[in-house]
Amino acid sequence: MYQHLFVILLLLSAAVGAVAVVRRFKLPSMLAYLAIGIALGPHGLALLTESAEVESFAEFGVVFLMF
């Protein structure tokens, strides 16, 4: 349970920091979300491994971005 909380806090804090940096350069915040996903994902720093929990969390993220 605590590992899921750690993953959520890691993603949220990284996203907030990246959006702040990207907005300073007057770029769209979507670039920050993509960069964080690539950097923290299994093909970047591999802090998040591919699993069913990460996949369901990613689906919720896509739904939230749509609305």
Side-chain angles (χ1 to χ4, degrees):
M1 176 176 161
Y2 291 114
Q3 184 179 7
H4 300 299
L5 182 62
F6 174 72
V7 169
I8 291 171
L9 289 176
L10 176 72
L11 286 173
L12 287 176
S13 62
V16 167
V19 167
V21 170
V22 169
R23 295 300 290 172
R24 184 169 175 94
F25 293 113
K26 298 185 191 297
L27 295 170
S29 58
M30 182 61 73
L31 291 176
Y33 297 134
L34 289 172
I36 289 300
I38 291 170
L40 297 180
H43 301 293
L45 297 175
L47 293 176
L48 302 173
T49 58
E50 292 186 37
S51 66
E53 292 89 11
V54 172
E55 186 176 331
S56 64
F57 187 65
E59 289 175 2
F60 280 117
V62 169
V63 169
F64 287 136
L65 284 175
M66 290 174 68
F67 300 103

